Amino acid sequence: MYLQTRRYLGSAAQLGQRKLRAAQAELAAAQELGQSRLLAAQELGQSKLTSAAELGQSKLTALKGALHYEVPDTTLFSLVGTTLNLLNGTTGPGLLALPLAFARCGWLMGTVMLLGVFALNHASLLLLLRACLTTREHSYIGLCSHVADGIASLIDWSSLLFFFGSSVSYLVIIGEAFTVLTSSLGDGSVYDGGPVSDG
């Protein structure tokens, strides 16, 4: 009886040790599996984070490339040109023709028309200022680059016609002024601007 009990206890101990070793092996395998899964998850998260950072960097680079700021030209030549353009706009042929316009329209209608043109000019300059501030451009060419090709060419042609008309009006004013000046110097067709006779 004693021997049977001892054998039974020995076999139970061996069985327990086997089960303990199997449980330890399962635990080690589970730890290795968990460690490998943790490493895989870390690598996946790191790759996703890297790809998200690269995507954000590429979007930021594209956005910086799309938003460019044109530095205004502040050289002496540009400032002189701007001053002459302002002088041309304020004291151009229109200012010299104001007395004639008021003489033909009268004080009331001349004042109303002058205020109407002032309101239109003010509204157009406000639109131009808003467009410059929105696009961060400082020239007609820069503004036209943000518009469709047809509208940009229309603006170019209208600017060309405006400058052509200004040049023609300046030539007319200069011709009339020089005719008055030379006719005061003497008599004859040479002085009054008429054709020179062969006689």
Side-chain angles (χ1 to χ4, degrees):
M1 183 81 174
Y2 174 74
L3 289 174
Q4 287 180 349
T5 306
R6 192 168 177 181
R7 284 180 194 158
Y8 179 74
L9 287 177
S11 63
Q14 288 177 357
L15 182 63
Q17 285 179 355
R18 279 196 223 108
K19 286 185 178 180
L20 180 62
R21 287 195 199 101
Q24 286 177 348
E26 287 180 1
L27 180 62
Q31 284 179 348
E32 288 178 1
L33 181 63
Q35 190 72 23
S36 64
R37 285 183 179 176
L38 180 63
L39 289 175
Q42 285 179 349
E43 288 176 359
L44 181 63
Q46 186 69 29
S47 65
K48 284 184 178 180
L49 184 62
T50 306
S51 63
E54 289 175 355
L55 180 63
Q57 187 68 29
S58 65
K59 285 184 178 180
L60 183 63
T61 305
L63 188 61
K64 283 181 180 177
L67 296 175
H68 70 283
Y69 176 68
E70 181 183 349
V71 180
D73 188 9
T74 56
T75 59
L76 180 63
F77 182 73
S78 176
L79 292 177
V80 169
T82 304
T83 305
L84 290 177
N85 277 332
L86 285 174
L87 191 61
N88 179 28
T90 54
T91 61
L95 183 65
L96 299 175
L98 270 180
L100 178 63
F102 270 90
R104 292 194 177 171
C105 294
W107 284 104
L108 181 62
M109 186 56 97
T111 305
V112 169
M113 290 181 71
L114 187 64
L115 290 176
V117 170
F118 166 74
L120 290 173
N121 196 6
H122 183 262
S124 66
L125 286 176
L126 279 180
L127 287 174
L128 186 63
L129 178 63
R130 262 189 214 150
C132 288
L133 290 176
T134 302
T135 59
R136 312 285 282 178
E137 298 287 351
H138 299 87
S139 63
Y140 282 119
I141 297 173
L143 283 175
C144 290
S145 65
H146 292 274
V147 188
D149 291 336
I151 298 176
S153 60
L154 177 67
I155 292 172
D156 286 338
W157 279 105
S158 61
S159 298
L160 178 67
L161 290 176
F162 170 74
F163 291 130
F164 178 74
S166 298
S167 300
V168 169
S169 60
Y170 277 127
L171 285 175
V172 170
I173 291 170
I174 290 171
E176 290 179 357
F178 272 101
T179 301
V180 173
L181 179 65
T182 55
S183 64
S184 67
L185 297 176
D187 294 329
S189 60
V190 176
Y191 295 104
D192 62 9
V196 178
S197 61
D198 294 334

